[in-house]
Amino acid sequence: MSTTYDQPVSPAMVADAVRGHVGGSVDAVRQVDGFVGNQDFLVATPHGDFVLKAMGAHSVVAESWACGRAREAGVPAPEIVAVDLDTAILPLPYLLMRRVPGGPVDDTHEAIVEVGRRLRALHEIRVEGFGLLTGDPEALGGPAPVAPRGRESSWSDVIARPLSDLDDFVARDVLDAALAERVRSTFAVNTSLLTGPRNGVLLHGDLHPRHVFAAGDQLSGIIDWGDATAGDPAFEFGRFSRVGDASLDLLLRGYEPDDAALVRHTMVLYRVLWSLYAIGWEVRAGGDWVDGHVAAVREGLDVLGG
């Protein structure tokens, strides 16, 4: 299976690309850890610091669109400086964005309350389809640009996708058979809680404190929109709930969900679902960061009594 690491991007290539977009010199380029399917770089220049993400073209289009729509809604996503899909400079498509000032918050930073407030606006943005966004590179910049859409036709398809991978996870010794059966039975019992919205809305898709930046006491940005998703707002809380109750309480205080008790139960199911997705992404991309996700699946099932 081909991954982005079959087409390595060097710091020298990145420096050339950034100079072409911002002009002047580049002081330093440093590769940073990220998802195994991306190659990410922090670039320092006299014009400020930038982040370059090299990845598949569909992902570049989807992430750049999600950041732009979020910013229009008042959500402090990164400012996109350039999108390049032609691979003339780098061997992979990439997007270049300004680095958000400040740094990641800890789990109890008050900026998380403000994130909850901003999510309310984000979750008003309708998106076609359901699930992870994918963008059409051919439509970008055309006379009638086509917005990215979710990859699935229904929310039930989003839920079914990782459940259909359970046998493969067992075969790969990622999950044991008993745990896989617990997952199946728990989701079967709770089907009525997972109907999802009639229309998908824009979700960050991978929200946690490391992706929340603050400068002092103030929220300065929400980074890493590579998992932007069309779906159920409670799925956002399910992902975030892996951080722990104290941090989740701050987020929900800012968001003020209409039915907090129902959201809290449903989001545990979604926490398990997101963890199953994460296992699949790692396995298919050739990564091995699965132990934490497996532990989260087991813990979530314990909470649900499954």
Side-chain angles (χ1 to χ4, degrees), residues 274-293:
W274 186 91
S275 300
L276 291 171
Y277 263 109
I279 291 169
W281 296 330
E282 281 291 325
V283 167
R284 284 187 285 273
D288 58 4
W289 291 2
V290 297
D291 290 348
H293 302 313

Side-chain angles (χ1 to χ4, degrees), residues 17-285:
V18 173
R19 274 193 293 267
H21 293 298
V22 305
S25 62
V26 169
D27 297 330
V29 178
R30 177 170 60 88
Q31 189 162 9
V32 295
D33 291 336
F35 173 57
V36 69
N38 305 336
Q39 296 179 59
D40 304 339
F41 299 84
L42 180 60
V43 185
T45 83
H47 305 285
D49 293 344
F50 298 84
V51 174
L52 184 144
K53 294 184 70 172
M55 52 192 173
H58 289 80
S59 298
V60 167
V61 173
E63 183 164 354
S64 61
W65 179 86
C67 286
R69 288 293 286 116
R71 287 174 63 87
E72 290 172 6
V75 179
E79 175 191 351
I80 304 299
V81 175
V83 172
D84 193 309
L85 303 177
D86 63 15
T87 67
I89 302 175
L90 300 186
L92 287 168
Y94 64 87
L95 60 82
L96 181 67
M97 64 194 89
R98 290 193 180 276
R99 184 186 183 278
V100 171
V105 302
D106 61 37
D107 294 356
T108 57
H109 197 290
E110 281 293 316
I112 294 172
V113 178
E114 183 61 24
V115 172
R117 297 189 186 103
R118 302 298 181 100
L119 285 182
R120 272 286 190 177
L122 184 73
H123 294 166
E124 293 295 323
I125 300 172
R126 288 269 301 274
V127 184
E128 294 298 318
F130 295 87
L132 282 171
L133 297 191
T134 184
D136 181 0
E138 298 299 323
L140 186 68
V146 178
R149 57 173 290 126
R151 300 178 186 184
E152 307 289 353
S153 59
S154 70
W155 188 244
S156 61
D157 289 340
V158 174
I159 295 169
R161 179 72 61 185
L163 299 182
S164 69
D165 289 334
L166 289 171
D167 287 339
D168 181 55
F169 294 161
V170 172
R172 293 173 181 264
D173 290 327
V174 176
L175 298 183
D176 61 63
L179 183 58
E181 185 54 39
R182 287 180 66 197
V183 171
R184 289 191 187 93
S185 61
T186 297
F187 275 81
V189 167
N190 289 281
T191 299
S192 63
L193 297 178
L194 300 170
T195 55
R198 179 173 298 178
N199 300 107
V201 299
L202 181 58
L203 314 177
H204 178 278
D206 190 18
L207 189 65
H208 55 76
R210 293 193 308 278
H211 289 160
V212 175
F213 272 42
D217 294 334
Q218 301 300 312
L219 175 68
S220 58
I222 302 172
I223 69 165
D224 201 346
W225 292 72
D227 291 328
T229 295
D232 184 345
F235 186 74
E236 197 95 272
F237 306 135
R239 164 61 184 110
F240 193 86
S241 70
R242 284 193 55 176
V243 180
D245 289 343
S247 195
L248 179 64
D249 287 345
L250 293 173
L251 188 74
L252 294 179
R253 189 207 310 168
Y255 194 95
E256 297 182 341
D258 298 331
D259 188 340
L262 178 61
V263 164
R264 282 184 179 273
H265 187 80
T266 303
M267 72 187 178
V268 179
L269 288 163
Y270 284 147
R271 181 164 76 227
V272 173
L273 187 74
W274 186 91
S275 300
L276 291 171
Y277 263 109
I279 291 169
W281 296 330
E282 281 291 325
V283 167
R284 284 187 285 273

